[in-house]
Amino acid sequence: MRLTALTDYALRVLIYAGSHRDRLCTISEIAHAFDISQTHLMKVSQLLSQQGWITTVRGKKGGLRLSKEPHLIHLGAVVRSIEPGFALVECLGSNNKCKIAGKCPLTGILNGAVTAFLHHLSFYTLADIISPVESAQRFAPMLAPAPNISTTEKPEEKPNATPVDSTLE
């Protein structure tokens, strides 16, 4: 799966604006910071403004700023609102002409992958990106790797221990 440049740039604009909440940010400075065309960023900022993620101020001393606090801007919602589509293959798109559509389990599998991707993004906010140390500490327990238990070895049983429900694995 690959996000469009439009979504990538939109996230960068939000990161930049979120990192400079004390003032208005200009398209010119954001373009310079990320080495992106000002023309592209004007289109991106217009879309972000239409979607309600940023507020723009016109004029000589104008610029843009976040419309909401960073902890209220969920990445999954931003990606859903900016990305034009998630059709990984033809059968997921609106112009489906696949001969085996409706009979192929690949459609459900890929649809599940897209859903899982967007669901995962929904756990994170812009605040997690602009405050990586805080977010790492907050999400560390959730992101800890699962213990590596071989399927051929059984874990040591401890007396009076509650057995692990294998259906949860």
Side-chain angles (χ1 to χ4, degrees):
M1 177 168 184
R2 184 181 177 125
L3 297 176
T4 61
L6 183 71
T7 303
D8 179 22
Y9 295 166
L11 292 169
R12 292 187 205 196
V13 168
L14 293 175
I15 291 167
Y16 194 90
S19 298
H20 299 88
R21 289 192 310 272
D22 57 329
R23 62 182 178 78
L24 289 172
C25 302
T26 66
I27 296 290
S28 176
E29 72 181 273
I30 298 171
H32 179 72
F34 293 116
D35 195 24
I36 300 172
S37 152
Q38 286 189 42
T39 306
H40 282 88
L41 287 182
M42 286 174 27
K43 178 182 176 183
V44 168
S45 64
Q46 182 180 13
L47 185 56
L48 287 169
S49 178
Q50 289 170 348
Q51 296 291 331
W53 301 115
I54 63 170
T55 301
T56 58
V57 177
R58 290 181 170 244
K60 187 175 181 179
K61 295 191 180 199
L64 60 88
R65 67 173 152 259
L66 296 179
S67 294
K68 304 174 183 181
E69 288 298 314
H71 70 279
L72 297 174
I73 300 175
H74 290 268
L75 300 182
V78 172
V79 170
R80 278 185 191 91
S81 73
I82 302 296
E83 191 65 25
F86 293 98
L88 298 181
V89 291
E90 181 184 344
C91 61
L92 295 178
S94 58
N95 295 328
N96 181 11
K97 293 181 179 130
C98 180
K99 299 280 187 195
I100 58 173
K103 300 173 190 128
C104 175
L106 183 60
T107 303
I109 293 168
L110 293 176
N111 219 7
V114 170
T115 301
F117 172 74
L118 293 170
H119 180 72
H120 182 75
L121 286 178
S122 296
F123 283 107
Y124 299 92
T125 67
L126 184 60
D128 297 319
I129 298 173
I130 58 179
S131 306
V133 173
E134 291 174 24
S135 69
Q137 291 170 349
R138 187 170 70 185
F139 290 107
M142 289 174 48
L143 300 175
N148 187 7
I149 299 176
S150 168
T151 56
T152 57
E153 298 175 18
K154 287 191 171 186
E156 237 180 75
E157 290 189 5
K158 296 180 183 172
N160 301 324
T162 306
V164 175
D165 184 356
S166 63
T167 61
L168 298 177
E169 293 179 339

